[in-house]
Amino acid sequence: MKFIKRDWLVLTGFIFISVMCFWPLIKTHQIYGSGDLLFHLNRMVGFSESLQHGTLGYRSFDTLSGLGSSVNFFYPFVYILGFSSLFVLFPNSLVFAFYLGEIIVLFVTLIIAYWSMLSFSLGDKKRSIVFALLYGFGGYFMYLLSDQYVLGEAFAYVFLPVAFLGFYNVFFGNKNKWYILSMGVTLLLYAHMLTTFLTIVTFLIILLLALVTRKLKFNVPILVSLGKAILLTLSLTAVIYLPFLYQLQQTTIITTIKQGLLFLNGLGTNLLMAVNGEHQNIGFFSVIAFILMIIQIFQKKNDFNLIIGLFGLLIFVIGTSIFPWYNLSIDVQALIQFPYRVFGISTVFIMTFLSKILLEFFGGEHKNYYLLILFLSIFSLVSFWSKTGGEKHDLEGKIFLKQNNNRNRNKEILENNFVTNSDGIESIPTSRHDYIGVIDYAPEESWQPNNRKTLLAHEVMVNNKVVKSSNRYYFNKISNKINLKYSGNVDIPVFSYGNETVKVDGKNVHHIQSKRGSVQINKVKEGIHTVSVSYKTPSWILILWIWTIVVWLLLGIWRVLYNRN
């Protein structure tokens, strides 16, 4: 409350610029999607259905290809629930609900960046505003949020400053603020596991450098603060890692296609993309920061701010072909996939450096400072409009999402680049729309090319032969009506993870995993039968959610009481 009273003008400005960014898109009443957006829209719609039924749908039966996908066990969805809640609140204006969600994400990013720098700089409000604008409109964040819609990473980007602020406090700053480290890592894990892993690796690199250069010595206060942060983090993130481990032990899965590195570009190419604002870039202002770093090096400056900037530059270089990525094992390459993922972490350090330098140049007089803020705001807004306007232009005339009856289509047609309105979003649970990673996190056997094809075509098989069926899809189950002319083993096109409930004519039956990784019921008698496969989220998982909410509330109450004292 004190924060709002003190900084209401800053908050108002951030709200204004966030709304203005998306206003031209809102007026079109359409979404111009690419990259991962169709995947995430499936998740949003799926959770909006389950929320309306008073539960959390960890498995998806009418979205995510209608195969009973268990992706939500492996890919955190805390922030996706926010979008789904907006879908529930605005059922007749799903496009508006989506853009409202995007506005909130951008606004929260600006607020988090502002608050983090305010804490790090010991109350320097001017620098905090500059950092918020530089970080909130960083080139890589724009790529994640409104270009390829890599929303898991985008959500994680929002909270990177909190994680690094907490890390700084535990090891180099105010150790009484250890809880910030826990909050930061927790909020990261709620968004994206790989970003959390890369952040922790970055922590270790910093610690190693600090120990080698003798800038850090472990002592009891550090270890106590770190221990408390770890314990709180384990408590707050149990809702993520316990369901993950539970599902992982059910059956062998493949998370995503195993392949080498993609989009590994040279240093020059990455710098050029940053200047031009193209693709997965580090941003124009990062290039300015690099130039200023070089100037300071020649001026033989050696302050802490320059060290922060140079570390950001180092992380950026690691994301280019200069780093020997191909010398790493194929497993590591498959895990990282895109080396440019480190650009988000790099941006935290680069913009921390640049915010102070710009303030040294323009922060002396109020007039110059206000001109700087005006320039950054206008530049950010115009750049955002230019980028989203260009994407809109490129996608006009592409596939338009609409209702179809293609569940049994034998051909896989990716709809990565598409245009949709609210009706198109509503069609997701009742239509087939193929997207990137359409069988990610499926049982291992389902990845075989022929198995993948027959599953995506929703083919029911009896004794390994395709039979006609009438399939009905619900948010929590799939029902298949089949007419068997002879008894046999029935293979239903639903992924078998070992925790589903299978019924034949309303009676629970034993099932096994078929050779294509799907549900199989043996020795079904001839005749007309209704086979249903469903999943109900266990009570212990829902209790974990309650536990998490309670811990967050207790943490908030503790901080309020502590600040009063």
Side-chain angles (χ1 to χ4, degrees):
M1 205 66 181
K2 181 181 177 182
F3 176 73
I4 296 175
K5 288 181 180 179
R6 183 189 64 197
D7 298 303
W8 66 270
L9 188 59
V10 175
L11 298 178
T12 302
F14 288 163
I15 291 173
F16 175 77
I17 196 170
S18 299
V19 171
M20 290 304 297
C21 279
F22 288 96
W23 187 249
L25 292 173
I26 291 174
K27 291 195 299 182
T28 67
H29 302 288
Q30 292 182 333
I31 295 173
Y32 300 86
S34 56
D36 288 352
L37 183 55
L38 187 52
F39 164 65
H40 288 298
L41 282 176
N42 270 265
R43 301 179 79 202
M44 293 171 189
V45 171
F47 277 116
S48 69
E49 289 182 303
S50 65
L51 286 175
Q52 291 178 71
H53 288 85
T55 187
L56 290 177
Y58 272 77
R59 290 190 61 176
S60 305
F61 291 91
D62 61 352
T63 58
L64 295 171
S65 301
L67 296 172
S69 173
S70 195
V71 64
N72 293 320
F73 277 98
F74 306 106
Y75 200 136
F77 58 84
V78 175
Y79 307 115
I80 290 293
L81 286 177
F83 281 82
S84 299
S85 299
L86 292 174
F87 282 9
V88 174
L89 290 174
F90 302 98
N92 298 318
S93 305
L94 298 181
V95 169
F96 171 76
F98 174 77
Y99 284 130
L100 179 58
E102 292 264 283
I103 289 171
I104 292 171
V105 172
L106 178 55
F107 172 70
V108 172
T109 305
L110 293 170
I111 290 299
I112 290 293
Y114 173 77
W115 173 82
S116 299
M117 180 53 70
L118 200 64
S119 179
F120 176 75
S121 63
L122 303 179
D124 190 336
K125 193 171 180 179
K126 288 184 176 181
R127 184 182 179 186
S128 301
I129 295 173
V130 173
F131 175 75
L133 291 172
L134 291 172
Y135 184 77
F137 289 93
Y140 188 59
F141 184 50
M142 295 298 99
Y143 167 80
L144 297 175
L145 183 67
S146 60
D147 184 334
Q148 292 300 294
Y149 295 95
V150 190
L151 295 184
E153 279 191 70
F155 299 148
Y157 181 97
V158 174
F159 301 104
L160 281 172
V162 182
F164 283 103
L165 173 64
F167 173 80
Y168 172 80
N169 279 323
V170 168
F171 291 98
F172 306 100
N174 186 351
K175 292 162 187 57
N176 290 327
K177 294 183 177 181
W178 57 267
Y179 58 91
I180 296 178
L181 174 59
S182 180
M183 290 169 57
V185 174
T186 295
L187 294 170
L188 285 182
L189 193 59
Y190 286 173
H192 199 246
M193 289 186 176
L194 184 54
T195 300
T196 308
F197 170 75
L198 292 174
T199 301
I200 293 173
V201 170
T202 307
F203 289 167
L204 295 176
I205 293 173
I206 295 173
L207 289 178
L208 180 61
L209 291 173
L211 289 170
V212 169
T213 57
R214 298 184 179 181
K215 300 296 183 181
L216 172 68
K217 289 184 179 180
F218 282 101
N219 52 40
V220 173
I222 288 177
L223 294 176
V224 170
S225 295
L226 180 60
K228 289 190 289 188
I230 290 173
L231 289 176
L232 180 58
T233 302
L234 290 174
S235 181
L236 289 171
T237 58
V239 72
I240 302 296
Y241 65 79
L242 288 181
F244 173 87
L245 295 173
Y246 153 77
Q247 186 62 36
L248 197 62
Q249 59 88 31
Q250 299 288 325
T251 190
T252 303
I253 67 162
I254 295 180
T255 55
T256 187
I257 186 170
K258 189 172 183 178
Q259 57 187 355
L261 302 169
L262 297 173
F263 304 110
L264 177 59
N265 295 309
L267 178 62
T269 300
N270 276 296
L271 290 174
L272 187 61
M273 289 194 299
V275 172
N276 294 330
E278 297 175 336
H279 311 300
Q280 58 281 354
N281 71 90
I282 195 70
F284 173 76
F285 283 108
S286 292
V287 179
I288 299 297
F290 297 153
I291 295 171
L292 293 174
M293 287 178 209
I294 294 172
I295 292 174
Q296 288 204 347
I297 290 172
F298 279 106
Q299 291 176 342
K300 297 183 178 180
K301 286 192 175 182
N302 188 27
D303 61 5
F304 182 53
N305 190 54
L306 178 59
I307 292 172
I308 290 174
L310 290 174
F311 185 77
L313 175 59
L314 172 65
I315 298 298
F316 167 68
V317 170
I318 288 175
T320 72
S321 60
I322 291 178
F323 186 79
W325 284 101
Y326 291 114
N327 288 353
L328 302 179
S329 70
I330 187 64
D331 291 329
V332 174
Q333 293 182 41
L335 174 66
I336 302 299
Q337 291 182 309
F338 312 116
Y340 61 73
R341 290 185 192 273
V342 301
F343 287 177
I345 295 172
S346 176
T347 303
V348 178
F349 293 90
I350 294 169
M351 297 313 170
T352 298
F353 164 81
L354 185 59
S355 62
K356 185 174 182 181
I357 298 300
L358 290 179
L359 209 60
E360 290 176 357
F361 278 112
F362 301 101
E365 297 183 11
H366 288 303
K367 180 182 177 181
N368 291 339
Y369 174 72
Y370 292 142
L371 286 175
L372 172 64
I373 297 302
L374 182 63
F375 169 75
L376 290 177
S377 300
I378 293 175
F379 184 90
S380 299
L381 193 58
V382 171
S383 297
F384 189 91
W385 283 344
S386 175
K387 190 171 186 62
T388 54
E391 292 157 6
K392 174 179 175 291
H393 176 268
D394 292 341
L395 289 171
E396 286 177 342
K398 298 290 184 180
I399 296 173
F400 199 95
L401 289 194
K402 58 185 178 180
Q403 180 71 40
N404 66 60
N405 297 308
N406 296 332
R407 292 276 195 191
N408 302 114
R409 183 178 64 205
N410 286 319
K411 187 177 180 181
E412 191 174 335
I413 302 175
L414 293 180
E415 297 176 280
N416 302 331
N417 301 312
F418 64 91
V419 181
T420 188
N421 55 19
S422 294
D423 291 338
I425 298 174
E426 285 185 28
S427 77
I428 288 175
T430 56
S431 306
R432 177 175 174 179
H433 299 296
D434 296 335
Y435 54 87
I436 297 173
V438 71
I439 64 165
D440 283 359
Y441 305 97
E444 185 176 21
E445 292 77 7
S446 302
W447 283 78
Q448 296 298 324
N450 189 59
N451 292 341
R452 175 191 179 111
K453 180 180 178 181
T454 59
L455 286 169
L456 288 174
H458 292 258
E459 294 179 350
V460 175
M461 309 183 81
V462 178
N463 297 336
N464 299 318
K465 294 181 180 180
V466 178
V467 297
K468 290 184 178 180
S469 65
S470 175
N471 305 334
R472 300 187 67 179
Y473 303 85
Y474 306 87
F475 84 95
N476 62 345
K477 73 174 184 178
I478 293 177
S479 178
N480 305 83
K481 190 173 183 180
I482 54 177
N483 186 358
L484 300 186
K485 297 181 180 179
Y486 46 85
S487 62
N489 302 328
V490 179
D491 183 347
I492 302 295
V494 178
F495 295 139
S496 176
Y497 293 99
N499 55 12
E500 53 276 322
T501 298
V502 181
K503 294 183 178 181
V504 176
D505 301 327
K507 296 180 180 180
N508 288 353
V509 296
H510 174 73
H511 69 284
I512 61 172
Q513 188 179 90
S514 72
K515 292 181 179 179
R516 58 177 184 165
S518 52
V519 170
Q520 179 172 309
I521 311 106
N522 290 336
K523 300 179 180 179
V524 180
K525 296 180 180 180
E526 62 181 291
I528 299 175
H529 300 284
T530 299
V531 181
S532 67
V533 182
S534 62
Y535 177 79
K536 182 180 179 181
T537 303
S539 298
W540 66 267
I541 291 182
L542 300 179
I543 292 172
L544 277 178
W545 280 90
I546 296 172
W547 164 260
T548 302
I549 294 171
V550 169
V551 175
W552 274 111
L553 288 174
L554 291 175
L555 177 60
I557 293 170
W558 170 59
R559 291 313 306 166
V560 170
L561 295 177
Y562 182 87
N563 290 334
R564 284 182 179 178
N565 295 329

Coordinates of all heavy atoms in Angstrom, one line a residue, residues 28 31-32 55 95 186-187 249 268 278 319 490 524:
T28 N -8.3 -4.5 -33.6 CA -8.5 -5.4 -34.8 C -9.4 -6.5 -34.5 O -9.9 -7.2 -35.4 CB -7.1 -6.0 -35.2 OG1 -6.6 -6.9 -34.2 CG2 -6.1 -4.9 -35.5
I31 N -6.2 -12.0 -33.3 CA -4.8 -12.3 -32.8 C -4.0 -12.8 -34.0 O -4.5 -13.6 -34.8 CB -4.9 -13.4 -31.7 CG1 -5.6 -12.9 -30.5 CG2 -3.5 -13.9 -31.3 CD1 -5.8 -14.0 -29.4
Y32 N -2.8 -12.3 -34.1 CA -1.9 -12.7 -35.2 C -0.8 -13.5 -34.5 O 0.1 -13.0 -34.0 CB -1.4 -11.4 -35.9 CG -2.4 -10.6 -36.4 CD1 -3.1 -9.6 -35.7 CD2 -2.9 -10.7 -37.8 CE1 -4.1 -8.8 -36.2 CE2 -3.9 -10.0 -38.3 CZ -4.5 -9.0 -37.5 OH -5.6 -8.3 -38.0
T55 N -12.1 -27.3 -11.0 CA -10.9 -28.2 -10.8 C -9.8 -27.7 -11.6 O -9.9 -26.7 -12.4 CB -11.3 -29.6 -11.2 OG1 -10.2 -30.5 -10.8 CG2 -11.6 -29.8 -12.6
V95 N -10.5 -12.6 -27.5 CA -9.3 -11.9 -28.0 C -9.0 -10.7 -27.1 O -7.8 -10.5 -26.7 CB -9.6 -11.3 -29.4 CG1 -8.6 -10.3 -29.9 CG2 -9.7 -12.4 -30.5
T186 N 11.3 -19.1 -6.9 CA 10.0 -19.7 -7.0 C 9.2 -19.2 -8.1 O 8.6 -19.9 -8.9 CB 9.3 -19.4 -5.6 OG1 9.9 -20.0 -4.6 CG2 7.8 -19.9 -5.7
L187 N 9.2 -17.9 -8.3 CA 8.4 -17.3 -9.4 C 8.9 -17.7 -10.8 O 8.2 -17.8 -11.7 CB 8.4 -15.7 -9.2 CG 7.6 -15.2 -8.0 CD1 7.9 -13.7 -7.8 CD2 6.1 -15.5 -8.1
Q249 N 7.3 -40.8 -12.9 CA 7.5 -42.2 -12.5 C 6.4 -43.1 -13.1 O 6.5 -44.3 -12.9 CB 7.7 -42.3 -11.0 CG 6.5 -41.9 -10.2 CD 5.5 -42.9 -10.0 OE1 5.8 -44.1 -9.9 NE2 4.2 -42.5 -9.9
G268 N 28.6 -11.3 -34.8 CA 28.2 -10.2 -35.7 C 26.7 -10.3 -36.1 O 26.0 -9.3 -36.2
E278 N 15.4 -7.6 -35.2 CA 14.9 -8.8 -35.9 C 15.1 -10.0 -35.1 O 16.1 -10.2 -34.4 CB 15.7 -9.0 -37.2 CG 15.5 -7.8 -38.2 CD 16.3 -8.0 -39.5 OE1 17.4 -8.7 -39.4 OE2 16.0 -7.5 -40.5
G319 N 25.9 -17.0 -25.7 CA 24.7 -17.3 -26.5 C 25.0 -17.3 -28.0 O 24.1 -17.5 -28.8
V490 N -8.7 -53.9 -27.7 CA -9.0 -52.6 -28.2 C -8.0 -51.5 -27.8 O -7.7 -51.4 -26.6 CB -10.4 -52.2 -27.6 CG1 -10.8 -50.8 -28.1 CG2 -11.5 -53.2 -28.0
V524 N -12.0 -57.6 -25.1 CA -13.3 -57.0 -25.1 C -14.2 -57.8 -26.0 O -13.8 -58.1 -27.1 CB -13.2 -55.5 -25.6 CG1 -14.6 -54.9 -25.6 CG2 -12.2 -54.7 -24.7

